[in-house]
Amino acid sequence: MLWDRPFGSARKNGPFGIPSMLPIDICTPTNGGGVIAASGLFFIGAATDDIFRAIDIRTGEEVWQVALPAGGQATPMTYKARGRQIVVINAGGHDFMDTPIGDYYIAYALPEDLAR
């Protein structure tokens, strides 16, 4: 094992279903997979806090995050176009996971120095 850390935050979780809005890392329920890009970044958005994250696979450090408009309970995909590494996620939400429902496909381009 290289590293171990909690995944997800208390941002949209709390007692009695009341979101705490606290940016504290906790273990939250997840539904969806992740993908590892050639850059060594692991992309995942499966937690119930609606955050899409990039984690360095060597250190376990979260190096980037963005709030999604709906739940990210989907496995992202990645591809390379014109020398840029692109990562795409479907922010469609999940009724059982109690995350916002949406119909978004969102693409992010990695900085050129990370595309390998």
Side-chain angles (χ1 to χ4, degrees):
M1 182 181 312
L2 296 176
W3 48 267
D4 185 13
R5 55 167 291 183
F7 178 66
S9 72
R11 182 169 104 67
K12 293 218 172 168
N13 297 281
F16 309 110
I18 302 168
S20 71
M21 301 311 287
L22 296 172
I24 299 169
D25 288 338
I26 61 173
C27 291
T28 66
T30 61
N31 189 8
V35 65
I36 299 174
S39 61
L41 294 177
F42 175 63
F43 292 93
I44 189 164
T48 57
D49 60 5
D50 308 328
I51 300 287
F52 189 40
R53 296 172 167 81
I55 299 169
D56 185 314
I57 62 170
R58 293 170 286 280
T59 65
E61 175 189 2
E62 185 178 298
V63 297
W64 173 81
Q65 68 168 241
V66 65
L68 295 171
Q73 286 70 50
T75 301
M77 65 169 268
T78 184
Y79 61 94
K80 198 169 188 178
R82 297 184 184 150
R84 296 293 300 268
Q85 188 75 37
I86 310 295
V87 63
V88 179
I89 188 163
N90 168 234
H94 195 288
D95 188 51
F96 179 76
M97 300 293 288
D98 202 26
T99 58
I101 304 298
D103 59 357
Y104 305 92
Y105 280 90
I106 306 171
Y108 300 93
L110 275 62
E112 291 184 29
D113 59 330
L114 287 179
R116 294 185 188 165

mmCIF file of all heavy atoms in Angstrom, residues 72-92:
data_model
loop_
_atom_site.group_PDB
_atom_site.id
_atom_site.type_symbol
_atom_site.label_atom_id
_atom_site.label_comp_id
_atom_site.label_asym_id
_atom_site.label_seq_id
_atom_site.Cartn_x
_atom_site.Cartn_y
_atom_site.Cartn_z
ATOM 1 N N GLY A 72 -21.385 13.234 -9.090
ATOM 2 C CA GLY A 72 -20.409 12.643 -10.012
ATOM 3 C C GLY A 72 -20.314 11.138 -9.869
ATOM 4 O O GLY A 72 -19.216 10.594 -9.901
ATOM 5 N N GLN A 73 -21.448 10.471 -9.707
ATOM 6 C CA GLN A 73 -21.447 9.024 -9.548
ATOM 7 C C GLN A 73 -21.321 8.346 -10.907
ATOM 8 O O GLN A 73 -22.242 7.696 -11.396
ATOM 9 C CB GLN A 73 -22.711 8.553 -8.809
ATOM 10 C CG GLN A 73 -22.711 8.854 -7.332
ATOM 11 C CD GLN A 73 -22.853 10.329 -7.012
ATOM 12 O OE1 GLN A 73 -23.729 11.005 -7.517
ATOM 13 N NE2 GLN A 73 -21.986 10.832 -6.158
ATOM 14 N N ALA A 74 -20.164 8.516 -11.511
ATOM 15 C CA ALA A 74 -19.860 7.934 -12.821
ATOM 16 C C ALA A 74 -18.350 7.783 -12.923
ATOM 17 O O ALA A 74 -17.608 8.514 -12.267
ATOM 18 C CB ALA A 74 -20.370 8.834 -13.941
ATOM 19 N N THR A 75 -17.903 6.851 -13.719
ATOM 20 C CA THR A 75 -16.472 6.694 -13.945
ATOM 21 C C THR A 75 -16.042 7.672 -15.031
ATOM 22 O O THR A 75 -16.607 7.666 -16.125
ATOM 23 C CB THR A 75 -16.154 5.250 -14.375
ATOM 24 O OG1 THR A 75 -16.606 4.370 -13.343
ATOM 25 C CG2 THR A 75 -14.669 5.059 -14.602
ATOM 26 N N PRO A 76 -15.057 8.540 -14.735
ATOM 27 C CA PRO A 76 -14.599 9.482 -15.756
ATOM 28 C C PRO A 76 -13.844 8.762 -16.875
ATOM 29 O O PRO A 76 -13.474 7.595 -16.743
ATOM 30 C CB PRO A 76 -13.665 10.427 -14.994
ATOM 31 C CG PRO A 76 -13.417 9.819 -13.685
ATOM 32 C CD PRO A 76 -14.378 8.707 -13.472
ATOM 33 N N MET A 77 -13.629 9.461 -17.957
ATOM 34 C CA MET A 77 -12.798 8.931 -19.043
ATOM 35 C C MET A 77 -11.748 9.970 -19.393
ATOM 36 O O MET A 77 -11.887 11.151 -19.065
ATOM 37 C CB MET A 77 -13.623 8.581 -20.270
ATOM 38 C CG MET A 77 -14.298 9.752 -20.949
ATOM 39 S SD MET A 77 -14.995 9.335 -22.541
ATOM 40 C CE MET A 77 -13.644 9.731 -23.616
ATOM 41 N N THR A 78 -10.692 9.523 -20.027
ATOM 42 C CA THR A 78 -9.631 10.433 -20.415
ATOM 43 C C THR A 78 -9.167 10.099 -21.824
ATOM 44 O O THR A 78 -9.252 8.951 -22.266
ATOM 45 C CB THR A 78 -8.462 10.392 -19.401
ATOM 46 O OG1 THR A 78 -7.481 11.368 -19.756
ATOM 47 C CG2 THR A 78 -7.823 9.031 -19.321
ATOM 48 N N TYR A 79 -8.721 11.109 -22.526
ATOM 49 C CA TYR A 79 -8.174 10.927 -23.861
ATOM 50 C C TYR A 79 -7.219 12.070 -24.156
ATOM 51 O O TYR A 79 -7.151 13.052 -23.412
ATOM 52 C CB TYR A 79 -9.285 10.849 -24.924
ATOM 53 C CG TYR A 79 -10.147 12.094 -25.025
ATOM 54 C CD1 TYR A 79 -9.845 13.098 -25.954
ATOM 55 C CD2 TYR A 79 -11.260 12.268 -24.211
ATOM 56 C CE1 TYR A 79 -10.633 14.235 -26.045
ATOM 57 C CE2 TYR A 79 -12.049 13.394 -24.306
ATOM 58 C CZ TYR A 79 -11.725 14.371 -25.219
ATOM 59 O OH TYR A 79 -12.498 15.500 -25.315
ATOM 60 N N LYS A 80 -6.471 11.948 -25.232
ATOM 61 C CA LYS A 80 -5.525 12.980 -25.624
ATOM 62 C C LYS A 80 -5.965 13.555 -26.965
ATOM 63 O O LYS A 80 -6.305 12.823 -27.890
ATOM 64 C CB LYS A 80 -4.127 12.379 -25.742
ATOM 65 C CG LYS A 80 -3.025 13.385 -25.713
ATOM 66 C CD LYS A 80 -1.689 12.674 -25.569
ATOM 67 C CE LYS A 80 -0.583 13.665 -25.352
ATOM 68 N NZ LYS A 80 0.690 12.994 -25.159
ATOM 69 N N ALA A 81 -5.993 14.891 -27.042
ATOM 70 C CA ALA A 81 -6.384 15.574 -28.278
ATOM 71 C C ALA A 81 -5.458 16.759 -28.508
ATOM 72 O O ALA A 81 -5.309 17.604 -27.615
ATOM 73 C CB ALA A 81 -7.831 16.046 -28.198
ATOM 74 N N ARG A 82 -4.846 16.785 -29.669
ATOM 75 C CA ARG A 82 -3.930 17.875 -30.023
ATOM 76 C C ARG A 82 -2.871 18.109 -28.951
ATOM 77 O O ARG A 82 -2.549 19.247 -28.601
ATOM 78 C CB ARG A 82 -4.692 19.154 -30.308
ATOM 79 C CG ARG A 82 -5.625 19.032 -31.489
ATOM 80 C CD ARG A 82 -6.284 20.344 -31.804
ATOM 81 N NE ARG A 82 -7.235 20.131 -32.878
ATOM 82 C CZ ARG A 82 -8.328 20.833 -33.022
ATOM 83 N NH1 ARG A 82 -8.617 21.799 -32.191
ATOM 84 N NH2 ARG A 82 -9.149 20.585 -34.015
ATOM 85 N N GLY A 83 -2.367 17.029 -28.389
ATOM 86 C CA GLY A 83 -1.311 17.116 -27.391
ATOM 87 C C GLY A 83 -1.781 17.439 -25.986
ATOM 88 O O GLY A 83 -0.972 17.514 -25.069
ATOM 89 N N ARG A 84 -3.069 17.619 -25.770
ATOM 90 C CA ARG A 84 -3.602 17.933 -24.442
ATOM 91 C C ARG A 84 -4.327 16.710 -23.874
ATOM 92 O O ARG A 84 -5.080 16.045 -24.586
ATOM 93 C CB ARG A 84 -4.605 19.097 -24.504
ATOM 94 C CG ARG A 84 -4.066 20.423 -24.938
ATOM 95 C CD ARG A 84 -3.091 21.069 -23.973
ATOM 96 N NE ARG A 84 -3.605 21.356 -22.656
ATOM 97 C CZ ARG A 84 -4.165 22.507 -22.294
ATOM 98 N NH1 ARG A 84 -4.322 23.479 -23.175
ATOM 99 N NH2 ARG A 84 -4.567 22.679 -21.061
ATOM 100 N N GLN A 85 -4.106 16.444 -22.608
ATOM 101 C CA GLN A 85 -4.826 15.378 -21.926
ATOM 102 C C GLN A 85 -6.166 15.950 -21.461
ATOM 103 O O GLN A 85 -6.214 16.990 -20.812
ATOM 104 C CB GLN A 85 -4.030 14.879 -20.726
ATOM 105 C CG GLN A 85 -4.603 13.656 -20.076
ATOM 106 C CD GLN A 85 -4.360 12.403 -20.889
ATOM 107 O OE1 GLN A 85 -3.314 12.254 -21.502
ATOM 108 N NE2 GLN A 85 -5.324 11.509 -20.903
ATOM 109 N N ILE A 86 -7.248 15.281 -21.818
ATOM 110 C CA ILE A 86 -8.602 15.712 -21.473
ATOM 111 C C ILE A 86 -9.209 14.663 -20.548
ATOM 112 O O ILE A 86 -9.039 13.465 -20.768
ATOM 113 C CB ILE A 86 -9.489 15.842 -22.744
ATOM 114 C CG1 ILE A 86 -8.807 16.657 -23.834
ATOM 115 C CG2 ILE A 86 -10.862 16.389 -22.388
ATOM 116 C CD1 ILE A 86 -8.561 18.088 -23.493
ATOM 117 N N VAL A 87 -9.919 15.114 -19.520
ATOM 118 C CA VAL A 87 -10.654 14.204 -18.652
ATOM 119 C C VAL A 87 -12.114 14.672 -18.645
ATOM 120 O O VAL A 87 -12.396 15.863 -18.563
ATOM 121 C CB VAL A 87 -10.046 14.118 -17.237
ATOM 122 C CG1 VAL A 87 -10.103 15.442 -16.519
ATOM 123 C CG2 VAL A 87 -10.710 13.041 -16.409
ATOM 124 N N VAL A 88 -13.029 13.707 -18.795
ATOM 125 C CA VAL A 88 -14.462 13.996 -18.917
ATOM 126 C C VAL A 88 -15.219 13.203 -17.857
ATOM 127 O O VAL A 88 -14.897 12.052 -17.591
ATOM 128 C CB VAL A 88 -14.991 13.591 -20.318
ATOM 129 C CG1 VAL A 88 -16.482 13.870 -20.448
ATOM 130 C CG2 VAL A 88 -14.218 14.280 -21.412
ATOM 131 N N ILE A 89 -16.223 13.849 -17.257
ATOM 132 C CA ILE A 89 -17.086 13.144 -16.307
ATOM 133 C C ILE A 89 -18.547 13.496 -16.595
ATOM 134 O O ILE A 89 -18.856 14.605 -17.007
ATOM 135 C CB ILE A 89 -16.726 13.463 -14.837
ATOM 136 C CG1 ILE A 89 -17.521 12.547 -13.908
ATOM 137 C CG2 ILE A 89 -16.916 14.930 -14.523
ATOM 138 C CD1 ILE A 89 -16.992 12.467 -12.498
ATOM 139 N N ASN A 90 -19.400 12.519 -16.375
ATOM 140 C CA ASN A 90 -20.846 12.734 -16.447
ATOM 141 C C ASN A 90 -21.331 13.081 -15.045
ATOM 142 O O ASN A 90 -21.224 12.276 -14.134
ATOM 143 C CB ASN A 90 -21.549 11.477 -16.958
ATOM 144 C CG ASN A 90 -23.052 11.549 -16.771
ATOM 145 O OD1 ASN A 90 -23.647 10.677 -16.180
ATOM 146 N ND2 ASN A 90 -23.662 12.594 -17.271
ATOM 147 N N ALA A 91 -21.802 14.289 -14.852
ATOM 148 C CA ALA A 91 -22.391 14.700 -13.578
ATOM 149 C C ALA A 91 -23.894 14.522 -13.720
ATOM 150 O O ALA A 91 -24.616 15.442 -14.072
ATOM 151 C CB ALA A 91 -22.020 16.141 -13.242
ATOM 152 N N GLY A 92 -24.333 13.294 -13.485
ATOM 153 C CA GLY A 92 -25.742 12.969 -13.653
ATOM 154 C C GLY A 92 -26.466 12.744 -12.346
ATOM 155 O O GLY A 92 -27.685 12.644 -12.312
#
